[in-house]
Amino acid sequence: MIGFIVAGLIIGALARLIKPGKQNLSILATLGLGLVGSVIGGLIATALGTGSIWELNVLGFILAVVAAVLLIGVAESLTGRKQINA
């Protein structure tokens, strides 16, 4: 469980670094978007047959970061670039 949270923070932080511009996201919002991104990336990687959703693999990690970047974009568009409080 702790590993899942740490992975979510890392994925969320990487997504924020990749996404251009300044995001007004709290640490909890970054964690939440990273966790959701990691689940989405893991599910896609599992569907492609690269392993289980619970194991760390390169394709799943890359897909998780991409999903988190997209989620940050969606969150920004829904809030009108206001701060996201999670």
Side-chain angles (χ1 to χ4, degrees), residues 11-38:
I11 290 168
L14 283 174
R16 287 183 65 182
L17 288 173
I18 292 170
K19 178 91 171 77
K22 182 178 182 333
Q23 300 90 29
N24 293 321
L25 298 173
S26 66
I27 293 290
L28 289 176
T30 301
L31 172 64
L33 292 174
L35 288 174
V36 173
S38 66

Side-chain angles (χ1 to χ4, degrees), residues 42-57:
L43 287 172
I44 294 170
T46 300
L48 294 174
T50 62
S52 171
I53 187 173
W54 300 110
E55 64 186 36
L56 182 63
N57 60 52

